């Protein structure tokens, strides 16, 4: 395994760059989309609620590989220049955002109704109440499940390997097929995924501890 | 120009009629207490006034704005009508000072320094100046409710609604909250108070409504006289019960 790591270090690092790049973009994108769709799902507006629920249910219940393939195979017909990396990252973003929307919806709903009523009675608009009172409290509640989502996201980015996305898994496949040292290669790849996800897990646990010192309700 | 006018207001929750043909006019500066058995519609009546509940039919004018009119800006009504809840509902993620300054700063666009000055004045009024930088979770119930009153006052509203402000409090701190409410009343604030505190209704209130089954059964401009000799049969029964409990 060590020999694989040393002999193919540059390819593996190259793959990690793509994995981290795709994960970072998908992390930010899915967080933004997730919060927006969570707001849709709980919106007082019926049409936004329907749009939000349909989005969440569709992308939560289709396998990631199918979502990613859709963007890889179908979308380039309409959007030129959509390579495997881009298509995979978009698929990953959208797929993850559905789960994040669910996480935020649950978090927002667990903030007591009285907080919203108080803010509205204080003259705030719905959006002001969300921004200053509800979302800050919901964010604290969703930190632990969100941490899990992010670790999953890094692991799920291996879907890029199926779309020629140049990520770590893709490089691993290449190395395995040229050297025939499959066991060693995938052990090395697994180790490198651990190197990426373990710090993220610890970071999340640290944030969770820090934030738990703030009050909930 | 009256502060609040109900004209033939009805309110349904599904098929259940929670408010029945309410006609009520409240003038500026009145301190109205509402009493009545559980489920009689007291909270519902109060919550229609700042649009937390919508009426099903009739007309409701608050500060001369028709709440049923889609052109009416509910946020503007709520700026002018404060509310104090049974369970305080202080913003859990904000300090005591921020609880009071947030509305003025974000809604009325008062500069931070000025909002903080006003908040300190109000903290003095409710006797909690030393708590300004704590979080709500560190305060007792009685203290929280006094902060909730300060938060409502900070908006310089034209009226304040109170929904059982002392019902969730330990008996020994109820007096502190009632004292603050009395001060607010003495400053001429229009107040509508759902309460079980008969002493407050008698001594501070200058009008009393008795509700039962979604109706205003008695409307008295002399609360002491009401307690001495209620006219309505349900009111007699209700007072008989609570006097026995006391
Ligand atoms: N959101 C709601 N949906 C359905 N029914 C409701 C709702 N809110 C209140 N009700 C019903 O309307 C009636 C009046 O309720 P309301 O809360 O106004 O009573 P109340 O006089 O404030 O009682 P309490 O003294 O217990 O607070 C009750 O029968 C209650 O069950
Ligand atoms: Mg009530």
């Amino acid at each position: 395994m060590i020999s694989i790591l040393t002999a193919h270090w540059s390819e593996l690092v190259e793959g990690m760059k793509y994995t981290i790049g795709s994960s970072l973009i998908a992390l930010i994108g899915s967080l933004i989309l997730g919060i927006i769709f969570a707001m849709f799902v709980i919106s007082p507006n019926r049409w936004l609620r329907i749009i939000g629920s349909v989005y969440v249910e569709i992308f939560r219940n289709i396998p990631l590989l199918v979502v990613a393939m859709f963007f890889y195979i179908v979308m380039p017909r309409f959007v030129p220049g959509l390579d495997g990396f881009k298509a995979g990252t978009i698929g990953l973003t959208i797929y993850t955002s559905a789960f994040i929307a669910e996480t935020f919806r649950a978090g927002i709903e667990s903030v007591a109704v009285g907080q919203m009523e108080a803010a509205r009675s204080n003259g705030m608009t719905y959006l002001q109440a969300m921004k200053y009172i509800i979302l800050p409290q919901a964010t604290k509640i969703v930190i632990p499940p969100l941490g899990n989502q992010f670790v999953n996201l890094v692991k799920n980015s291996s879907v890029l390997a199926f779309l020629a996305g140049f990520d770590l898994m893709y490089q691993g496949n290449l190395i395995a097929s040229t050297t025939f040292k499959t066991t060693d290669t995938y052990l090395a790849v697994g180790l490198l995924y651990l190197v990426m996800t373990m710090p993220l897990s610890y970071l999340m646990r640290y944030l969770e501890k820090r934030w738990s010192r703030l009050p909930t309700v | 120009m009256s502060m609040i006018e109900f004209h033939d207001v009805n309110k349904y929750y599904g098929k259940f009629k929670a408010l029945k043909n309410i006609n009520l006019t409240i003038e500026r500066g009145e301190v109205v207490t509402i009493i009545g058995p559980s489920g009689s519609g007291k909270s519902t009546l109060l919550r229609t006034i700042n649009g937390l509940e919508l009426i099903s039919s009739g007309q409701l004018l608050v500060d001369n704005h028709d709440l049923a009119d889609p052109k009416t800006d509910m946020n503007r009504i709520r700026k002018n009508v404060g509310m104090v809840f049974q369970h305080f509902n202080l913003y859990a993620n904000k300090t005591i000072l921020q609880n009071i300054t947030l509305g003025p700063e974000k809604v009325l666009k008062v500069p931070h320094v000025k909002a903080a000055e006003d908040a300190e004045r109000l903290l003095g009024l409710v006797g909690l100046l030393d708590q300004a930088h704590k979080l709500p979770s560190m305060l007792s119930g009685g203290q929280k409710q006094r902060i909730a009153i300060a938060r409502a006052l900070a908006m310089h509203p034209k009226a304040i609604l109170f929904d059982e402000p002392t019902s969730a409090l330990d008996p020994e701190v109820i007096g502190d909250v009632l004292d603050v409410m009395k001060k607010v009343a003495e400053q001429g604030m229009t107040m509508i108070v759902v309460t079980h505190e008969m002493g407050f209704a008698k001594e501070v209130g200058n009008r009393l409504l008795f509700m039962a089954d979604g109706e205003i059964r008695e409307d008295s401009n002399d609360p002491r006289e009401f307690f001495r000799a209620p006219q309505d049969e349900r009111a007699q029964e209700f007072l008989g019960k609570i006097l026995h409990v006391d």
Side-chain angles (χ1 to χ4, degrees):
Chain A
M1 189 185 87
I2 305 288
S3 64
I4 290 284
L5 279 174
T6 49
H8 299 277
W9 184 244
S10 64
E11 295 108 285
L12 289 170
V13 167
E14 190 64 14
M16 276 170 79
K17 279 187 200 159
Y18 277 88
T19 292
I20 291 173
S22 171
S23 300
L24 267 181
I25 295 167
L27 190 150
I28 294 165
S30 62
L31 196 57
I32 295 169
L33 279 180
I35 292 176
I36 291 174
F37 279 100
M39 300 283 285
F40 279 18
V41 171
I42 56 155
S43 158
N45 181 304
R46 186 162 155 261
W47 290 108
L48 288 183
R49 271 204 311 275
I50 292 174
I51 293 170
S53 314
V54 167
Y55 178 91
V56 168
E57 287 313 317
I58 286 181
F59 289 109
R60 225 162 49 113
N61 292 301
I62 296 179
L64 170 59
L65 188 55
V66 177
V67 176
M69 278 297 180
F70 173 80
F71 283 98
Y72 186 50
I73 292 166
V74 183
M75 287 310 280
R77 289 187 203 160
F78 311 102
V79 188
L82 207 61
D83 58 22
F85 178 79
K86 287 180 194 155
T89 305
I90 292 172
L92 190 61
T93 302
I94 287 178
Y95 174 82
T96 309
S97 73
F99 288 89
I100 290 182
E102 262 306 283
T103 307
F104 263 93
R105 181 200 55 75
I108 290 168
E109 282 178 352
S110 72
V111 177
V113 189
Q115 294 283 306
M116 177 57 102
E117 289 191 346
R120 298 308 302 273
S121 302
N122 211 185
M124 281 183 237
T125 62
Y126 178 80
L127 287 178
Q128 283 178 320
M130 274 291 164
K131 178 172 163 198
Y132 299 117
I133 305 302
I134 309 297
L135 284 179
Q137 293 181 54
T139 304
K140 213 201 106 196
I141 297 168
V142 303
I143 285 283
L146 218 50
N148 291 334
Q149 306 280 359
F150 289 158
V151 172
N152 277 337
L153 191 155
V154 176
K155 295 191 284 180
N156 285 340
S157 69
S158 57
V159 76
L160 260 67
F162 291 92
L163 321 176
F166 306 110
D167 67 315
L168 178 58
M169 187 64 190
Y170 176 83
Q171 298 293 354
N173 287 343
L174 274 188
I175 296 165
S177 63
T178 48
T179 62
F180 301 108
K181 294 182 185 158
T182 40
T183 311
D184 281 6
T185 304
Y186 289 115
L187 274 175
V189 166
L191 184 73
L192 292 177
Y193 271 108
L194 267 183
V195 167
M196 291 186 287
T197 51
M198 291 287 281
L200 194 55
S201 295
Y202 278 106
L203 176 71
M204 283 300 168
R205 218 164 291 169
Y206 168 77
L207 284 180
E208 201 180 311
K209 261 198 203 127
R210 265 197 53 171
W211 286 49
S212 67
R213 283 193 228 119
L214 297 174
T216 339
V217 185
Chain B
M1 196 168 92
S2 308
M3 184 65 224
I4 296 159
E5 290 179 36
F6 285 79
H7 297 291
D8 299 321
V9 167
N10 293 292
K11 162 76 185 170
Y12 288 88
Y13 288 115
K15 281 192 179 142
F16 178 75
K17 199 167 182 180
L19 293 179
K20 296 174 189 163
N21 206 38
I22 302 291
N23 283 288
L24 171 69
T25 300
I26 295 174
E27 303 297 338
R28 282 166 211 283
E30 277 194 288
V31 177
V32 182
T33 55
I34 305 178
I35 65 169
S38 181
S40 56
K42 307 181 296 293
S43 298
T44 305
L45 180 79
L46 206 61
R47 291 160 60 88
T48 57
I49 298 171
N50 71 350
L52 286 181
E53 301 291 351
L54 300 177
I55 63 172
S56 308
S57 66
Q59 195 186 32
L60 173 50
L61 301 175
V62 177
D63 196 22
N64 256 16
H65 294 281
D66 184 345
L67 294 203
D69 185 342
K71 285 201 283 293
T72 299
D73 178 5
M74 272 320 299
N75 294 318
R76 204 176 128 186
I77 302 291
R78 293 192 183 112
K79 263 189 248 183
N80 292 327
V81 181
M83 180 138 186
V84 173
F85 300 87
Q86 181 175 2
H87 295 287
F88 334 120
N89 298 352
L90 295 185
Y91 307 136
N93 57 328
K94 300 283 176 198
T95 65
I96 296 307
L97 189 74
Q98 290 168 333
N99 262 272
I100 302 174
T101 57
L102 194 67
E105 279 183 42
K106 301 302 177 194
V107 178
L108 305 177
K109 311 291 181 203
V110 176
H112 175 73
V113 177
K114 231 174 142 255
E117 267 173 27
D118 200 37
E120 278 175 19
R121 175 183 68 81
L122 291 166
L123 282 169
L125 178 84
V126 302
L128 292 169
L129 202 49
D130 49 337
Q131 310 289 324
H133 299 288
K134 290 189 181 168
L135 286 165
S137 55
M138 300 162 85
L139 267 54
S140 73
Q143 290 174 324
K144 282 183 197 168
Q145 200 57 301
R146 285 186 277 158
I147 296 301
I149 296 171
R151 173 174 69 181
L153 287 170
M155 296 294 287
H156 297 281
K158 295 183 177 166
I160 303 183
L161 314 171
F162 295 79
D163 195 355
E164 303 201 27
T166 58
S167 297
L169 301 178
D170 292 335
E172 63 269 23
V173 302
I174 289 177
D176 299 341
V177 172
L178 293 177
D179 286 345
V180 169
M181 289 169 63
K182 193 172 167 194
K183 272 196 227 173
V184 175
E186 282 163 358
Q187 292 178 357
M189 179 64 69
T190 308
M191 294 165 68
I192 306 167
V193 186
V194 174
T195 186
H196 296 304
E197 292 299 324
M198 302 307 157
F200 182 87
K202 267 190 230 171
E203 271 124 52
V204 184
N206 46 37
R207 184 169 172 192
L208 184 142
L209 305 177
F210 173 78
M211 288 187 73
D213 298 327
E215 290 175 309
I216 297 175
R217 300 289 285 257
E218 196 157 342
D219 179 349
S220 163
N221 281 311
D222 186 352
R224 285 168 191 279
E225 179 58 21
F226 169 83
F227 283 106
R228 209 181 53 76
Q231 303 297 306
D232 181 71
E233 194 182 307
R234 293 289 303 274
Q236 290 163 2
E237 194 185 311
F238 178 73
L239 288 185
K241 262 186 210 151
I242 57 168
L243 293 181
H244 276 296
V245 174
D246 288 355

